[in-house]
Amino acid sequence: MKNFALILSCEKYSFKRERQDISQLPMDFRYFVGNPDLTCSEEDGKIVYLPCRDEYEYLTKKTLLAFKWIRENLGFFDHILKTDDDVTFIKEKIEDMLINIYENNIDYAGILHKGGYRSRHHFGKCSDERMNSVLMPVPDVTYCIGGAYWVSMKGQKILSSIGDYKPYFSIYEDACIGNILVSNGIEATKINIKEAMRWPEL
């Protein structure tokens, strides 16, 4: 089994990745950070700087660029764990979860959430103050919440080739990724990810 972890990070809160315990992550990984001054991606050790802005409202673009970078530089993996730099990992539980995912041919899995409403979850997080007071739509799909979710090779091929994500767009990265996958025939599957990974919101 060949797996990889796509870990979203940002320069403003770089201390999070600096203190994250990666020793319990049983796979290779990269941190992905936005840098709008770049015209192409740059790799610096375990950090990949992507040519996009680094703020909350650009997480969707950052995530899709990260999937594209992985495809172009490392190839496809059996499964990619998309996660964040404030997540705590439990190695043995992750390995058990991966066995379950393989045995059941799961393409997209995590903690499920149903969209189809307007949300204020982004309030106080956006660099554009106008957005911090406007409810934003969440696509009417069931998706995996963004702290940690798995994407198979089938899903990676879709996400890494998205040139125009506006038809699927949501300010919420996890909902947008879910919308892309569901719209391309990949349904979200519920798994007990809380046993293997924890993040502050849980």
Side-chain angles (χ1 to χ4, degrees):
M1 296 187 297
K2 185 182 178 184
N3 305 297
F4 186 82
L6 184 174
I7 309 178
L8 291 187
S9 186
C10 70
E11 282 303 280
K12 183 177 180 179
Y13 301 112
S14 61
F15 66 89
K16 291 184 179 181
R17 65 175 179 266
E18 292 166 359
R19 70 187 185 190
Q20 188 173 38
D21 182 5
I22 297 299
S23 68
Q24 292 299 302
L25 182 62
M27 64 194 75
D28 195 12
F29 70 94
R30 295 291 187 283
Y31 289 107
F32 292 88
V33 178
N35 183 341
D37 295 328
L38 297 177
T39 56
C40 60
S41 301
E42 293 184 359
E43 185 177 10
D44 181 10
K46 290 295 186 179
I47 303 174
V48 176
Y49 294 94
L50 301 168
C52 65
R53 293 182 64 173
D54 207 27
E55 292 91 347
Y56 181 89
E57 55 264 48
Y58 296 91
L59 284 175
T60 294
K61 183 172 185 179
K62 185 192 291 188
T63 302
L64 292 172
L65 285 175
F67 273 103
K68 181 180 179 183
W69 184 92
I70 294 167
R71 175 180 184 168
E72 293 177 347
N73 292 273
L74 303 176
F76 291 116
F77 291 84
D78 293 308
H79 282 86
I80 285 180
L81 169 66
K82 182 274 157 184
T83 187
D84 295 329
D85 58 8
D86 57 356
V87 170
T88 300
F89 305 108
I90 304 172
K91 182 178 179 180
E92 294 78 10
K93 295 294 185 179
I94 293 175
E95 292 171 339
D96 291 343
M97 180 173 291
L98 276 169
I99 292 172
N100 175 51
I101 289 172
Y102 281 105
E103 289 179 346
N104 291 283
N105 296 313
I106 295 172
D107 287 312
Y108 172 44
I111 298 173
L112 302 189
H113 188 78
K114 181 69 172 68
Y117 60 94
R118 300 180 73 84
S119 175
R120 65 178 67 233
H121 182 74
H122 61 288
F123 282 15
K125 300 177 182 179
C126 297
S127 58
D128 185 340
E129 287 300 327
R130 296 170 298 177
M131 299 181 71
N132 286 319
S133 59
V134 178
L135 295 176
M136 299 296 289
V138 181
D140 189 14
V141 297
T142 296
Y143 62 92
C144 299
I145 61 176
Y149 56 80
W150 298 96
V151 179
S152 72
M153 189 180 299
K154 181 179 178 182
Q156 294 163 45
K157 289 179 179 179
I158 295 169
L159 296 173
S160 64
S161 63
I162 294 293
D164 180 9
Y165 61 93
K166 291 179 182 177
Y168 311 100
F169 179 73
S170 170
I171 188 176
Y172 305 115
E173 161 266 321
D174 49 6
C176 186
I177 296 301
N179 194 19
I180 292 171
L181 294 175
V182 171
S183 297
N184 283 275
I186 296 180
E187 299 295 327
T189 300
K190 179 182 179 180
I191 58 173
N192 191 9
I193 211 163
K194 291 182 181 180
E195 286 188 350
M197 287 160 266
R198 302 191 180 97
W199 58 99
E201 289 78 12
L202 292 181

mmCIF file of all heavy atoms in Angstrom, residues 109-147:
data_model
loop_
_atom_site.group_PDB
_atom_site.id
_atom_site.type_symbol
_atom_site.label_atom_id
_atom_site.label_comp_id
_atom_site.label_asym_id
_atom_site.label_seq_id
_atom_site.Cartn_x
_atom_site.Cartn_y
_atom_site.Cartn_z
ATOM 1 N N ALA A 109 -13.692 9.063 2.130
ATOM 2 C CA ALA A 109 -14.227 8.699 3.448
ATOM 3 C C ALA A 109 -13.781 9.666 4.533
ATOM 4 O O ALA A 109 -12.694 10.244 4.478
ATOM 5 C CB ALA A 109 -13.781 7.284 3.811
ATOM 6 N N GLY A 110 -14.641 9.814 5.530
ATOM 7 C CA GLY A 110 -14.350 10.649 6.678
ATOM 8 C C GLY A 110 -15.591 10.807 7.525
ATOM 9 O O GLY A 110 -16.488 9.962 7.504
ATOM 10 N N ILE A 111 -15.665 11.905 8.266
ATOM 11 C CA ILE A 111 -16.860 12.242 9.038
ATOM 12 C C ILE A 111 -17.820 12.966 8.107
ATOM 13 O O ILE A 111 -17.456 13.969 7.486
ATOM 14 C CB ILE A 111 -16.500 13.131 10.236
ATOM 15 C CG1 ILE A 111 -15.558 12.385 11.177
ATOM 16 C CG2 ILE A 111 -17.762 13.566 10.983
ATOM 17 C CD1 ILE A 111 -15.015 13.253 12.301
ATOM 18 N N LEU A 112 -19.030 12.476 7.981
ATOM 19 C CA LEU A 112 -19.963 13.010 6.995
ATOM 20 C C LEU A 112 -20.719 14.223 7.510
ATOM 21 O O LEU A 112 -21.029 14.340 8.692
ATOM 22 C CB LEU A 112 -20.966 11.928 6.579
ATOM 23 C CG LEU A 112 -20.393 10.650 5.984
ATOM 24 C CD1 LEU A 112 -21.518 9.782 5.424
ATOM 25 C CD2 LEU A 112 -19.363 10.948 4.908
ATOM 26 N N HIS A 113 -21.025 15.119 6.564
ATOM 27 C CA HIS A 113 -21.831 16.299 6.860
ATOM 28 C C HIS A 113 -22.716 16.592 5.657
ATOM 29 O O HIS A 113 -22.268 16.485 4.516
ATOM 30 C CB HIS A 113 -20.943 17.502 7.164
ATOM 31 C CG HIS A 113 -21.685 18.693 7.663
ATOM 32 N ND1 HIS A 113 -22.129 18.798 8.959
ATOM 33 C CD2 HIS A 113 -22.075 19.827 7.044
ATOM 34 C CE1 HIS A 113 -22.756 19.950 9.118
ATOM 35 N NE2 HIS A 113 -22.748 20.592 7.960
ATOM 36 N N LYS A 114 -23.950 16.962 5.911
ATOM 37 C CA LYS A 114 -24.899 17.248 4.833
ATOM 38 C C LYS A 114 -24.988 18.747 4.606
ATOM 39 O O LYS A 114 -25.215 19.524 5.531
ATOM 40 C CB LYS A 114 -26.279 16.693 5.186
ATOM 41 C CG LYS A 114 -27.335 16.914 4.103
ATOM 42 C CD LYS A 114 -27.048 16.078 2.872
ATOM 43 C CE LYS A 114 -28.204 16.152 1.866
ATOM 44 N NZ LYS A 114 -28.354 17.481 1.243
ATOM 45 N N GLY A 115 -24.815 19.170 3.349
ATOM 46 C CA GLY A 115 -24.912 20.573 2.986
ATOM 47 C C GLY A 115 -26.334 20.958 2.615
ATOM 48 O O GLY A 115 -27.298 20.339 3.041
ATOM 49 N N GLY A 116 -26.448 22.023 1.801
ATOM 50 C CA GLY A 116 -27.760 22.478 1.377
ATOM 51 C C GLY A 116 -28.314 23.617 2.214
ATOM 52 O O GLY A 116 -29.529 23.731 2.383
ATOM 53 N N TYR A 117 -27.451 24.483 2.716
ATOM 54 C CA TYR A 117 -27.880 25.611 3.543
ATOM 55 C C TYR A 117 -26.842 26.722 3.423
ATOM 56 O O TYR A 117 -25.827 26.565 2.759
ATOM 57 C CB TYR A 117 -28.043 25.183 5.002
ATOM 58 C CG TYR A 117 -26.774 24.652 5.625
ATOM 59 C CD1 TYR A 117 -25.920 25.488 6.340
ATOM 60 C CD2 TYR A 117 -26.417 23.308 5.479
ATOM 61 C CE1 TYR A 117 -24.745 25.008 6.897
ATOM 62 C CE2 TYR A 117 -25.246 22.820 6.027
ATOM 63 C CZ TYR A 117 -24.419 23.665 6.736
ATOM 64 O OH TYR A 117 -23.254 23.186 7.280
ATOM 65 N N ARG A 118 -27.086 27.827 4.060
ATOM 66 C CA ARG A 118 -26.125 28.934 4.078
ATOM 67 C C ARG A 118 -25.481 28.994 5.457
ATOM 68 O O ARG A 118 -26.155 28.840 6.469
ATOM 69 C CB ARG A 118 -26.825 30.249 3.726
ATOM 70 C CG ARG A 118 -27.467 30.221 2.341
ATOM 71 C CD ARG A 118 -28.159 31.527 1.997
ATOM 72 N NE ARG A 118 -27.206 32.584 1.701
ATOM 73 C CZ ARG A 118 -26.635 32.762 0.505
ATOM 74 N NH1 ARG A 118 -26.922 31.953 -0.497
ATOM 75 N NH2 ARG A 118 -25.790 33.744 0.294
ATOM 76 N N SER A 119 -24.171 29.237 5.485
ATOM 77 C CA SER A 119 -23.406 29.106 6.721
ATOM 78 C C SER A 119 -22.643 30.373 7.090
ATOM 79 O O SER A 119 -22.246 31.157 6.221
ATOM 80 C CB SER A 119 -22.425 27.936 6.589
ATOM 81 O OG SER A 119 -21.583 27.847 7.718
ATOM 82 N N ARG A 120 -22.389 30.524 8.388
ATOM 83 C CA ARG A 120 -21.563 31.608 8.916
ATOM 84 C C ARG A 120 -20.235 31.075 9.453
ATOM 85 O O ARG A 120 -19.513 31.779 10.167
ATOM 86 C CB ARG A 120 -22.319 32.350 10.011
ATOM 87 C CG ARG A 120 -22.618 31.505 11.244
ATOM 88 C CD ARG A 120 -23.328 32.309 12.335
ATOM 89 N NE ARG A 120 -24.662 32.699 11.930
ATOM 90 C CZ ARG A 120 -25.115 33.958 11.971
ATOM 91 N NH1 ARG A 120 -24.322 34.924 12.404
ATOM 92 N NH2 ARG A 120 -26.336 34.235 11.606
ATOM 93 N N HIS A 121 -19.896 29.838 9.130
ATOM 94 C CA HIS A 121 -18.699 29.203 9.677
ATOM 95 C C HIS A 121 -17.420 29.991 9.361
ATOM 96 O O HIS A 121 -16.439 29.932 10.115
ATOM 97 C CB HIS A 121 -18.568 27.775 9.140
ATOM 98 C CG HIS A 121 -17.393 27.024 9.676
ATOM 99 N ND1 HIS A 121 -17.346 26.540 10.964
ATOM 100 C CD2 HIS A 121 -16.198 26.692 9.103
ATOM 101 C CE1 HIS A 121 -16.189 25.945 11.170
ATOM 102 N NE2 HIS A 121 -15.473 26.019 10.058
ATOM 103 N N HIS A 122 -17.435 30.747 8.283
ATOM 104 C CA HIS A 122 -16.245 31.501 7.879
ATOM 105 C C HIS A 122 -16.132 32.856 8.558
ATOM 106 O O HIS A 122 -15.122 33.545 8.389
ATOM 107 C CB HIS A 122 -16.262 31.719 6.361
ATOM 108 C CG HIS A 122 -17.463 32.498 5.904
ATOM 109 N ND1 HIS A 122 -18.735 31.970 5.889
ATOM 110 C CD2 HIS A 122 -17.593 33.780 5.471
ATOM 111 C CE1 HIS A 122 -19.587 32.884 5.457
ATOM 112 N NE2 HIS A 122 -18.920 33.988 5.192
ATOM 113 N N PHE A 123 -17.142 33.269 9.324
ATOM 114 C CA PHE A 123 -17.118 34.594 9.941
ATOM 115 C C PHE A 123 -15.862 34.760 10.806
ATOM 116 O O PHE A 123 -15.537 33.912 11.630
ATOM 117 C CB PHE A 123 -18.355 34.792 10.818
ATOM 118 C CG PHE A 123 -19.610 35.122 10.040
ATOM 119 C CD1 PHE A 123 -19.697 34.939 8.682
ATOM 120 C CD2 PHE A 123 -20.726 35.628 10.705
ATOM 121 C CE1 PHE A 123 -20.847 35.240 7.967
ATOM 122 C CE2 PHE A 123 -21.886 35.938 10.008
ATOM 123 C CZ PHE A 123 -21.955 35.740 8.640
ATOM 124 N N GLY A 124 -15.163 35.863 10.602
ATOM 125 C CA GLY A 124 -13.961 36.150 11.379
ATOM 126 C C GLY A 124 -12.702 35.468 10.870
ATOM 127 O O GLY A 124 -11.618 35.667 11.423
ATOM 128 N N LYS A 125 -12.829 34.673 9.795
ATOM 129 C CA LYS A 125 -11.682 33.929 9.277
ATOM 130 C C LYS A 125 -11.151 34.481 7.953
ATOM 131 O O LYS A 125 -10.026 34.175 7.572
ATOM 132 C CB LYS A 125 -12.047 32.454 9.087
ATOM 133 C CG LYS A 125 -12.478 31.751 10.373
ATOM 134 C CD LYS A 125 -12.885 30.315 10.101
ATOM 135 C CE LYS A 125 -13.353 29.634 11.380
ATOM 136 N NZ LYS A 125 -13.783 28.243 11.118
ATOM 137 N N CYS A 126 -11.956 35.258 7.245
ATOM 138 C CA CYS A 126 -11.593 35.718 5.904
ATOM 139 C C CYS A 126 -10.785 37.015 5.951
ATOM 140 O O CYS A 126 -11.028 37.877 6.806
ATOM 141 C CB CYS A 126 -12.844 35.928 5.055
ATOM 142 S SG CYS A 126 -13.794 34.418 4.777
ATOM 143 N N SER A 127 -9.860 37.167 5.018
ATOM 144 C CA SER A 127 -9.101 38.406 4.925
ATOM 145 C C SER A 127 -9.959 39.519 4.339
ATOM 146 O O SER A 127 -9.744 40.698 4.634
ATOM 147 C CB SER A 127 -7.853 38.196 4.064
ATOM 148 O OG SER A 127 -8.211 37.749 2.758
ATOM 149 N N ASP A 128 -10.928 39.151 3.523
ATOM 150 C CA ASP A 128 -11.871 40.109 2.950
ATOM 151 C C ASP A 128 -13.004 40.328 3.962
ATOM 152 O O ASP A 128 -13.861 39.461 4.152
ATOM 153 C CB ASP A 128 -12.428 39.565 1.638
ATOM 154 C CG ASP A 128 -13.330 40.573 0.923
ATOM 155 O OD1 ASP A 128 -13.821 41.507 1.572
ATOM 156 O OD2 ASP A 128 -13.547 40.400 -0.295
ATOM 157 N N GLU A 129 -13.004 41.472 4.626
ATOM 158 C CA GLU A 129 -13.958 41.728 5.700
ATOM 159 C C GLU A 129 -15.404 41.672 5.227
ATOM 160 O O GLU A 129 -16.312 41.371 6.006
ATOM 161 C CB GLU A 129 -13.671 43.089 6.353
ATOM 162 C CG GLU A 129 -12.427 43.099 7.219
ATOM 163 C CD GLU A 129 -12.514 42.101 8.364
ATOM 164 O OE1 GLU A 129 -13.624 41.861 8.884
ATOM 165 O OE2 GLU A 129 -11.473 41.536 8.735
ATOM 166 N N ARG A 130 -15.650 41.950 3.969
ATOM 167 C CA ARG A 130 -17.021 41.889 3.453
ATOM 168 C C ARG A 130 -17.586 40.485 3.560
ATOM 169 O O ARG A 130 -18.786 40.304 3.789
ATOM 170 C CB ARG A 130 -17.064 42.357 1.996
ATOM 171 C CG ARG A 130 -16.668 43.825 1.799
ATOM 172 C CD ARG A 130 -16.506 44.130 0.331
ATOM 173 N NE ARG A 130 -15.430 43.333 -0.270
ATOM 174 C CZ ARG A 130 -15.116 43.350 -1.554
ATOM 175 N NH1 ARG A 130 -15.788 44.132 -2.388
ATOM 176 N NH2 ARG A 130 -14.117 42.612 -2.013
ATOM 177 N N MET A 131 -16.723 39.505 3.421
ATOM 178 C CA MET A 131 -17.172 38.111 3.468
ATOM 179 C C MET A 131 -17.493 37.661 4.882
ATOM 180 O O MET A 131 -18.241 36.696 5.085
ATOM 181 C CB MET A 131 -16.113 37.198 2.855
ATOM 182 C CG MET A 131 -15.817 37.494 1.405
ATOM 183 S SD MET A 131 -14.588 36.384 0.692
ATOM 184 C CE MET A 131 -15.531 34.860 0.614
ATOM 185 N N ASN A 132 -16.943 38.366 5.862
ATOM 186 C CA ASN A 132 -17.128 37.962 7.255
ATOM 187 C C ASN A 132 -18.507 38.284 7.808
ATOM 188 O O ASN A 132 -18.787 37.992 8.979
ATOM 189 C CB ASN A 132 -16.054 38.612 8.129
ATOM 190 C CG ASN A 132 -14.693 37.968 7.943
ATOM 191 O OD1 ASN A 132 -14.593 36.755 7.837
ATOM 192 N ND2 ASN A 132 -13.646 38.780 7.901
ATOM 193 N N SER A 133 -19.354 38.894 7.004
ATOM 194 C CA SER A 133 -20.708 39.209 7.469
ATOM 195 C C SER A 133 -21.778 38.727 6.491
ATOM 196 O O SER A 133 -22.944 39.087 6.635
ATOM 197 C CB SER A 133 -20.853 40.719 7.686
ATOM 198 O OG SER A 133 -20.584 41.426 6.485
ATOM 199 N N VAL A 134 -21.383 37.908 5.518
ATOM 200 C CA VAL A 134 -22.321 37.407 4.516
ATOM 201 C C VAL A 134 -22.397 35.891 4.611
ATOM 202 O O VAL A 134 -21.364 35.205 4.527
ATOM 203 C CB VAL A 134 -21.879 37.807 3.087
ATOM 204 C CG1 VAL A 134 -22.838 37.225 2.052
ATOM 205 C CG2 VAL A 134 -21.799 39.319 2.961
ATOM 206 N N LEU A 135 -23.608 35.363 4.806
ATOM 207 C CA LEU A 135 -23.778 33.913 4.828
ATOM 208 C C LEU A 135 -23.417 33.343 3.465
ATOM 209 O O LEU A 135 -23.783 33.886 2.423
ATOM 210 C CB LEU A 135 -25.218 33.550 5.173
ATOM 211 C CG LEU A 135 -25.716 33.935 6.576
ATOM 212 C CD1 LEU A 135 -27.185 33.591 6.717
ATOM 213 C CD2 LEU A 135 -24.899 33.237 7.645
ATOM 214 N N MET A 136 -22.679 32.232 3.466
ATOM 215 C CA MET A 136 -22.224 31.617 2.227
ATOM 216 C C MET A 136 -22.881 30.252 2.044
ATOM 217 O O MET A 136 -23.063 29.504 3.010
ATOM 218 C CB MET A 136 -20.708 31.459 2.239
ATOM 219 C CG MET A 136 -19.950 32.770 2.349
ATOM 220 S SD MET A 136 -20.214 33.861 0.922
ATOM 221 C CE MET A 136 -19.315 32.966 -0.329
ATOM 222 N N PRO A 137 -23.223 29.903 0.792
ATOM 223 C CA PRO A 137 -23.904 28.624 0.546
ATOM 224 C C PRO A 137 -22.975 27.426 0.691
ATOM 225 O O PRO A 137 -21.792 27.485 0.338
ATOM 226 C CB PRO A 137 -24.386 28.762 -0.900
ATOM 227 C CG PRO A 137 -23.432 29.733 -1.521
ATOM 228 C CD PRO A 137 -23.066 30.705 -0.436
ATOM 229 N N VAL A 138 -23.529 26.358 1.234
ATOM 230 C CA VAL A 138 -22.850 25.065 1.300
ATOM 231 C C VAL A 138 -23.553 24.154 0.298
ATOM 232 O O VAL A 138 -24.775 24.027 0.342
ATOM 233 C CB VAL A 138 -22.940 24.454 2.719
ATOM 234 C CG1 VAL A 138 -22.207 23.129 2.775
ATOM 235 C CG2 VAL A 138 -22.379 25.426 3.751
ATOM 236 N N PRO A 139 -22.827 23.548 -0.642
ATOM 237 C CA PRO A 139 -23.464 22.714 -1.668
ATOM 238 C C PRO A 139 -24.375 21.647 -1.067
ATOM 239 O O PRO A 139 -24.099 21.121 0.022
ATOM 240 C CB PRO A 139 -22.273 22.081 -2.392
ATOM 241 C CG PRO A 139 -21.142 23.011 -2.160
ATOM 242 C CD PRO A 139 -21.358 23.590 -0.791
ATOM 243 N N ASP A 140 -25.436 21.332 -1.784
ATOM 244 C CA ASP A 140 -26.420 20.363 -1.309
ATOM 245 C C ASP A 140 -25.945 18.943 -1.590
ATOM 246 O O ASP A 140 -26.529 18.212 -2.393
ATOM 247 C CB ASP A 140 -27.768 20.625 -1.985
ATOM 248 C CG ASP A 140 -28.884 19.797 -1.363
ATOM 249 O OD1 ASP A 140 -28.676 19.240 -0.264
ATOM 250 O OD2 ASP A 140 -29.956 19.688 -1.988
ATOM 251 N N VAL A 141 -24.843 18.573 -0.943
ATOM 252 C CA VAL A 141 -24.293 17.225 -1.062
ATOM 253 C C VAL A 141 -23.849 16.759 0.320
ATOM 254 O O VAL A 141 -23.664 17.567 1.239
ATOM 255 C CB VAL A 141 -23.073 17.176 -2.018
ATOM 256 C CG1 VAL A 141 -23.477 17.554 -3.431
ATOM 257 C CG2 VAL A 141 -21.941 18.077 -1.521
ATOM 258 N N THR A 142 -23.676 15.465 0.464
ATOM 259 C CA THR A 142 -23.071 14.912 1.672
ATOM 260 C C THR A 142 -21.576 14.794 1.422
ATOM 261 O O THR A 142 -21.144 14.158 0.455
ATOM 262 C CB THR A 142 -23.668 13.540 2.008
ATOM 263 O OG1 THR A 142 -25.064 13.693 2.300
ATOM 264 C CG2 THR A 142 -22.972 12.925 3.222
ATOM 265 N N TYR A 143 -20.775 15.426 2.273
ATOM 266 C CA TYR A 143 -19.336 15.468 2.081
ATOM 267 C C TYR A 143 -18.618 15.137 3.381
ATOM 268 O O TYR A 143 -19.237 15.023 4.446
ATOM 269 C CB TYR A 143 -18.909 16.844 1.572
ATOM 270 C CG TYR A 143 -19.219 17.987 2.523
ATOM 271 C CD1 TYR A 143 -18.275 18.407 3.454
ATOM 272 C CD2 TYR A 143 -20.449 18.635 2.493
ATOM 273 C CE1 TYR A 143 -18.549 19.449 4.330
ATOM 274 C CE2 TYR A 143 -20.729 19.672 3.365
ATOM 275 C CZ TYR A 143 -19.785 20.081 4.277
ATOM 276 O OH TYR A 143 -20.067 21.110 5.143
ATOM 277 N N CYS A 144 -17.300 14.966 3.300
ATOM 278 C CA CYS A 144 -16.480 14.676 4.481
ATOM 279 C C CYS A 144 -15.894 15.973 5.015
ATOM 280 O O CYS A 144 -15.295 16.746 4.257
ATOM 281 C CB CYS A 144 -15.346 13.725 4.118
ATOM 282 S SG CYS A 144 -15.890 12.124 3.500
ATOM 283 N N ILE A 145 -16.047 16.211 6.313
ATOM 284 C CA ILE A 145 -15.550 17.455 6.873
ATOM 285 C C ILE A 145 -14.020 17.486 6.824
ATOM 286 O O ILE A 145 -13.342 16.465 6.854
ATOM 287 C CB ILE A 145 -16.082 17.719 8.296
ATOM 288 C CG1 ILE A 145 -15.653 16.635 9.272
ATOM 289 C CG2 ILE A 145 -17.588 17.832 8.281
ATOM 290 C CD1 ILE A 145 -16.085 16.945 10.694
ATOM 291 N N GLY A 146 -13.479 18.713 6.743
ATOM 292 C CA GLY A 146 -12.130 18.914 6.258
ATOM 293 C C GLY A 146 -10.962 18.613 7.168
ATOM 294 O O GLY A 146 -9.826 18.616 6.713
ATOM 295 N N GLY A 147 -11.188 18.365 8.454
ATOM 296 C CA GLY A 147 -10.054 18.096 9.332
ATOM 297 C C GLY A 147 -9.236 16.897 8.898
ATOM 298 O O GLY A 147 -8.009 16.878 9.046
#
